[in-house]
Amino acid sequence: MERSLILLKPDCVQRRLMGRIVSRFEDKAINIIAMKMLQVTPELTKQHYAEHVEKPFYPALESFITGAPVVAMVLEGLEVIRVVREMLGATNGLNAAAGTIRGEMSSSRQMNLVHASDGPEAAAREISLYFRDEEICSYTPELQRWLKADDE
Ligand code: CMP
């Protein structure tokens, strides 16, 4: 099992797309094991996007992410990091394939609705930035035997 940190970004919250995007993860039988709304601070943005702090677009990114509340989630599932990034599509909504979340709902590079961790190390680091251990509720869904075979 893998875990990934997901942010429903301010554009997603403001556009009232939270429910539709959460539904897509639930429909895919991915487990949501932590979830909260919060106002991200500039300090947290710098930690989260540490690799982008020196990039020219960083000031705009910080202003966007801190401009309205976000919803942070931890998703758990088999190969969930890759699976969720494929569900999101390319970073720029204009380039995202039809059928992906961004392909269907975003036409922007910055306002691309959802952040998802891009690898296991990033996931561990990002989850610890947004959640304390006791806020994560790993559980086995009652439906588990209808979601995947025992040997998967
Ligand atoms: P995300 O997957 O959260 O990771 C970094 C974010 O920075 C990205 O989504 C976009 O929202 C934003 N971003 C990436 N590249 C650019 C860019 N060239 N100009 C503006 N914003 C960008």
Side-chain angles (χ1 to χ4, degrees), residues 9 49 52 57 61 91 102 109-110 112 115:
K9 296 183 184 181
Y49 287 118
H52 296 312
F57 64 81
L61 175 61
T91 298
R102 291 171 180 152
R109 185 172 54 190
Q110 181 181 82
N112 60 4
H115 166 82

Side-chain angles (χ1 to χ4, degrees), residues 8-18 37-38 68-71 113:
L8 305 183
K9 296 183 184 181
D11 53 331
C12 179
V13 175
Q14 294 291 328
R15 290 177 57 194
R16 302 170 180 269
L17 294 173
M18 291 181 287
M37 181 174 271
L38 71 152
V70 304
V71 171
L113 297 170

Side-chain angles (χ1 to χ4, degrees), residues 8-80:
L8 305 183
K9 296 183 184 181
D11 53 331
C12 179
V13 175
Q14 294 291 328
R15 290 177 57 194
R16 302 170 180 269
L17 294 173
M18 291 181 287
R20 284 168 63 184
I21 290 173
V22 169
S23 286
R24 290 175 75 130
F25 298 138
E26 292 187 318
D27 289 348
K28 182 70 179 167
I30 294 170
N31 244 5
I32 300 169
I33 61 168
M35 189 178 207
K36 66 181 169 191
M37 181 174 271
L38 71 152
Q39 179 70 51
V40 177
T41 61
E43 294 67 36
L44 178 55
T45 311
K46 285 185 184 72
Q47 289 177 289
H48 179 166
Y49 287 118
E51 82 265 35
H52 296 312
V53 167
E54 300 302 328
K55 295 195 179 149
F57 64 81
Y58 180 78
L61 175 61
E62 183 181 289
S63 152
F64 164 55
I65 292 290
T66 60
V70 304
V71 171
M73 297 189 278
V74 181
L75 302 190
E76 186 174 70
L78 293 171
E79 301 180 45
V80 73

Side-chain angles (χ1 to χ4, degrees), residues 64-119:
F64 164 55
I65 292 290
T66 60
V70 304
V71 171
M73 297 189 278
V74 181
L75 302 190
E76 186 174 70
L78 293 171
E79 301 180 45
V80 73
I81 294 171
R82 176 187 60 77
V83 168
V84 169
R85 287 182 70 84
E86 287 180 5
M87 290 173 73
L88 294 187
T91 298
N92 187 335
L94 290 176
N95 300 329
T100 63
I101 289 170
R102 291 171 180 152
E104 291 193 356
M105 300 185 225
S106 166
S107 292
S108 168
R109 185 172 54 190
Q110 181 181 82
M111 302 203 185
N112 60 4
L113 297 170
V114 188
H115 166 82
S117 305
D118 65 5

